[in-house]
Amino acid sequence: MYSFKKICILLLLVLTCFGIAQANYQKKKQSTESKQTKKKSSKKSSTNKSNTKKKTNKKQVSTSKATVSPVAKVEKASLKDTSNPKEVVITSAFKPSLKNAAKINFTAAAAIADTNKLSVNYKIPSQNLFFSYQPVPIKPIALGLDSIESFQNDHFIKLGFGNFSTPFAEVGFSFGDGKKSSIAIHALHVSSKGDLDYQQFSKTGVDILSIFNTPSQHEWTAKAFYNTNSQYFYGITPPNPSLTKDDLLQRYNQVGVELGVQNKQIGNYGFVYHPQIFFNYFANNKDTHELNLIAKLPFIKSFGSIYAFKMGVTADMTSYQAPLNPSPLKINNNLIYIDPTIQFKTPNFKLNLGIQPTWDNQQFSLLPNLTAEARIKETGFNVELGWVGYFQKNTYRTLAGFNPWILSPNILMNTKISEQYLGVKGSAGNHLTYQARLSFLQLYNQALFVNNYADGRSFNILFDPKIQALRLHGELGYSIQEKFSFIGSVNLNQYTSLSDYDKAYGLVPMEITGTFKWKVNKDLQIKADAFLRDGSSYQNKLSQSLKLDPAADVNLGAEFSVMPKLNLWIQMNNLFNNKYQRWNQYEVLGFNVLGGVVYSFK
């Protein structure tokens, strides 16, 4: 087997060598044949050329034999063609090529016009305001500045005078660049003297608001204020000539500081916080004073765009002291609460699920915080319902702000409110907004006000343990940009089931208010406001429950330009000269008018 393989290999080698030799032989043969053909062709061409040259030369010699010189012979010899021309055969290789492609010619033509109309729906939000139903503190908000126009500081001075010996002065100044810092200063003074004995008052106040933005995207807010209000107990029945003016003076002084910080941009973790601290000192001219400290720490943690967790801790601590024989009266009124809430929010539905554990002077209460709001697309309005609980802090400052004719309180209690409500709100078109809410309330330790039994000039504060009330609240607003606006509201309160007293003394059962502003052009502005109020209940010296007469009041004002920086203004109050009583035995001023100038500069 092995020998057979060797034999096959040898045969293959022999055949291979033989094939190579044969191929070389054929190549050599072809090359020699081509050379021979080239030589033959070159010889033929050369012989033909030489013959033609010989013939021409013979003719030339024959014609010029007689005149040939030796020099001519040499020249002839030099002119003789000594070239050996050869025949050249050019063989070109075959090169394949493609046929020229035909070009496509496009004919220019106009596009066919589309006759179908494309309908595009634009949803423009209504530029209107929605007003909350519960009083909330005013919080300064940073102004969104236009990047094109630079921030300018505006200042104004407003001066005027009116009947009832009423001087009026108001100034405002602003400083800062509007981006990193902004400082606003405002001051006001007004006083009047009526026709009745000791019917006079004065009000003076100044406040400074500062806003600072840090590179870490935080906004710091600081506010300091001071105000003083003076009035006299002129509602004396019958008159008492033994009382001096100093005996009837009631002056309130207040100084306070507010400080807060908040993050302007929501980080990647969706965390928003806004801690605040409020300090307030309130005192009268009879050595009664009160110190109030409020600390708030609210924050919101968002989980996407739908869910969020809201948490807040509030500590409201008050220390009150009044002169009393033999030792001064001291009251500590502290309110602490937290309000954890889970929020669910979509474009058409909002839900808040929370509770509010509260410690009112160490007495624990668990209040609900359940609200829902749904948008009904077919009708264009929102339906809201809820069950909420909250406390209304009663301090000497808040009670005197509601009724300035009170005596120094000898007891302070906070009002706990439980409210179940159902309402609707929405907008019709781009300018009209509306709200309506029906609420059932339970008021615990509600403050009431009755005239004292001596001469009725001051009011005693009573706290009713429990009052049930039915409240109907409605609002209607119409606005056209900044040129025209109207806001009207109605509040109907029906107080029932009082625990200790016959009527809700000092509380208004019905009130309708309206505010109107119209910017006629850049040089003229008109404003007006009016209210209609039902009389509140009061108690006479015989402990009989009576009711004050209804009251109506209309005010009208205007401001117009006379120079680029100078305006004239006029304000008319109580146009119908209705001398009604908000509090029993205290008649208000009749028709009064004020006017003056406003100078604005930068």
Side-chain angles (χ1 to χ4, degrees):
M1 187 69 183
Y2 181 75
S3 61
F4 180 74
K5 290 182 179 181
K6 284 185 175 182
I7 294 170
C8 291
I9 293 170
L10 291 173
L11 289 174
L12 291 173
L13 292 174
V14 172
L15 291 174
T16 303
C17 295
F18 180 76
I20 294 170
Q22 187 68 21
N24 294 330
Y25 176 76
Q26 292 292 334
K27 289 181 179 179
K28 290 180 178 180
K29 185 177 181 180
Q30 290 177 357
S31 62
T32 53
E33 289 178 354
S34 61
K35 289 179 179 180
Q36 290 177 358
T37 54
K38 290 180 179 179
K39 288 179 179 182
K40 288 180 180 181
S41 59
S42 63
K43 286 181 179 180
K44 289 181 179 180
S45 61
S46 63
T47 52
N48 292 331
K49 290 181 180 180
S50 61
N51 291 331
T52 55
K53 288 181 179 180
K54 286 178 181 182
K55 289 180 180 181
T56 55
N57 292 332
K58 286 180 180 181
K59 289 180 179 181
Q60 294 174 356
V61 170
S62 62
T63 55
S64 59
K65 277 184 179 181
T67 59
V68 172
S69 63
V71 178
K73 289 181 180 180
V74 175
E75 290 178 355
K76 287 182 180 180
S78 62
L79 293 172
K80 185 178 181 180
D81 187 7
T82 59
S83 63
N84 188 15
K86 298 180 181 180
E87 182 179 358
V88 178
V89 178
I90 299 173
T91 303
S92 62
F94 173 75
K95 295 182 180 181
S97 62
L98 296 175
K99 186 178 180 180
N100 294 332
K103 295 183 179 179
I104 300 175
N105 296 324
F106 295 95
T107 303
I112 300 174
D114 189 1
T115 59
N116 297 325
K117 293 183 178 180
L118 179 62
S119 60
V120 181
N121 297 324
Y122 296 93
K123 185 177 180 182
I124 301 175
S126 177
Q127 301 296 326
N128 297 295
L129 299 176
F130 292 94
F131 301 93
S132 61
Y133 300 111
Q134 300 175 7
V136 296
I138 298 176
K139 299 178 181 179
I141 300 176
L143 174 65
L145 300 177
D146 192 347
S147 58
I148 299 176
E149 296 182 0
S150 60
F151 180 80
Q152 295 181 351
N153 294 309
D154 295 330
H155 318 291
F156 74 92
I157 300 175
K158 186 175 182 179
L159 302 174
F161 192 82
N163 62 335
F164 296 112
S165 302
T166 306
F168 180 90
E170 183 180 10
V171 297
F173 303 96
S174 61
F175 307 94
D177 57 2
K179 296 180 180 180
K180 296 182 180 179
S181 63
S182 177
I183 301 175
I185 302 175
H186 178 260
L188 173 68
H189 172 78
V190 61
S191 63
S192 292
K193 183 177 181 181
D195 298 331
L196 302 177
D197 293 336
Y198 307 114
Q199 189 184 21
Q200 63 185 75
F201 77 95
S202 66
K203 179 180 180 181
T204 304
V206 59
D207 61 84
I208 302 174
L209 175 63
S210 303
I211 300 175
F212 300 96
N213 296 318
T214 62
S216 60
Q217 299 299 324
H218 284 79
E219 181 181 271
W220 289 84
T221 304
K223 182 180 180 181
F225 60 91
Y226 168 79
N227 58 68
T228 175
N229 299 333
S230 299
Q231 57 268 325
Y232 293 88
F233 290 103
Y234 64 91
I236 305 173
T237 304
N240 189 351
S242 62
L243 295 175
T244 63
K245 193 173 183 179
D246 293 337
D247 295 333
L248 300 177
L249 176 63
Q250 179 82 311
R251 179 183 291 120
Y252 298 115
N253 298 318
Q254 181 179 194
V255 60
V257 176
E258 301 177 5
L259 182 64
V261 62
Q262 62 178 341
N263 55 334
K264 297 180 62 176
Q265 292 185 356
I266 302 176
N268 298 328
Y269 299 99
F271 193 72
V272 180
Y273 50 89
H274 188 194
Q276 294 175 288
I277 297 177
F278 303 88
F279 171 82
N280 187 280
Y281 178 80
F282 184 79
N284 65 5
N285 59 319
K286 299 177 181 179
D287 296 333
T288 301
H289 58 269
E290 180 181 69
L291 184 63
N292 188 213
L293 179 64
I294 304 174
K296 295 183 178 181
L297 182 60
F299 67 88
I300 300 176
K301 168 64 178 177
S302 299
F303 302 93
S305 60
I306 298 178
Y307 297 97
F309 176 73
K310 181 181 178 182
M311 182 70 175
V313 180
T314 303
D316 190 345
M317 296 169 286
T318 302
S319 177
Y320 169 81
Q321 183 173 337
L324 187 66
N325 291 324
S327 60
L329 176 64
K330 295 182 181 179
I331 300 175
N332 292 326
N333 184 12
N334 300 327
L335 182 66
I336 301 173
Y337 59 89
I338 59 176
D339 53 350
T341 304
I342 297 175
Q343 296 180 339
F344 176 81
K345 181 180 180 180
T346 63
N348 297 320
F349 185 74
K350 298 178 183 178
L351 179 65
N352 288 338
L353 301 176
I355 56 175
Q356 191 179 88
T358 308
W359 291 265
D360 177 22
N361 294 314
Q362 299 182 354
Q363 184 177 356
F364 178 76
S365 298
L366 186 62
L367 304 178
N369 185 15
L370 307 173
T371 63
E373 181 180 336
R375 179 177 179 84
I376 302 176
K377 296 182 179 179
E378 292 77 8
T379 58
F381 62 84
N382 297 348
V383 177
E384 57 179 5
L385 55 90
W387 180 23
V388 295
Y390 51 93
F391 271 85
Q392 177 182 306
K393 184 72 175 293
N394 293 321
T395 63
Y396 186 29
R397 176 178 57 88
T398 59
L399 295 174
F402 185 72
N403 184 353
W405 317 110
I406 62 173
L407 290 173
S408 300
N410 54 14
I411 185 174
L412 291 174
M413 303 179 68
N414 301 319
T415 303
K416 183 174 68 173
I417 303 173
S418 177
E419 179 182 2
Q420 296 88 33
Y421 66 87
L422 174 65
V424 296
K425 65 179 181 179
S427 61
N430 298 326
H431 306 288
L432 183 66
T433 60
Y434 56 88
Q435 286 184 339
R437 175 182 285 189
L438 180 64
S439 304
F440 174 74
L441 299 98
Q442 292 181 332
L443 310 174
Y444 299 91
N445 299 324
Q446 174 63 44
L448 305 178
F449 305 87
V450 296
N451 297 84
N452 61 10
Y453 299 106
D455 51 14
R457 60 177 176 176
S458 59
F459 287 80
N460 297 322
I461 303 173
L462 308 176
F463 292 95
D464 194 277
K466 183 178 180 181
I467 301 176
Q468 293 184 357
L470 188 66
R471 176 179 297 168
L472 177 62
H473 175 82
E475 291 183 3
L476 182 67
Y478 187 85
S479 64
I480 302 176
Q481 297 177 350
E482 297 181 356
K483 298 180 179 179
F484 179 87
S485 66
F486 169 79
I487 300 173
S489 65
V490 56
N491 287 290
L492 300 176
N493 299 303
Q494 183 179 1
Y495 300 99
T496 60
S497 303
L498 281 76
S499 298
D500 294 346
Y501 303 97
D502 297 333
K503 300 292 181 180
Y505 302 117
L507 303 183
V508 178
M510 186 273 293
E511 186 175 23
I512 301 174
T513 61
T515 301
F516 162 82
K517 293 182 180 180
W518 182 24
K519 187 175 182 180
V520 181
N521 51 47
K522 64 178 182 178
D523 297 328
L524 177 60
Q525 299 181 21
I526 299 175
K527 62 179 180 178
D529 57 270
F531 68 84
L532 176 63
R533 180 187 298 132
D534 192 10
S536 58
S537 299
Y538 70 96
Q539 195 177 70
N540 62 6
K541 295 180 180 181
L542 300 177
S543 300
Q544 295 175 343
S545 297
L546 303 176
K547 187 177 181 181
L548 295 173
D549 295 332
D553 200 339
V554 178
N555 306 319
L556 180 63
E559 183 175 336
F560 53 91
S561 302
V562 294
M563 293 178 64
K565 296 182 180 181
L566 185 65
N567 292 1
L568 298 181
W569 65 275
I570 184 172
Q571 179 69 37
M572 295 175 287
N573 301 322
N574 198 356
L575 290 176
F576 300 143
N577 196 26
N578 184 7
K579 298 183 179 181
Y580 57 89
Q581 297 182 21
R582 168 62 182 94
W583 300 101
N584 183 37
Q585 300 185 191
Y586 283 90
E587 184 181 283
V588 300
L589 296 175
F591 172 75
N592 60 90
V593 57
L594 293 87
V597 297
V598 179
Y599 181 75
S600 303
F601 57 98
K602 299 182 182 297

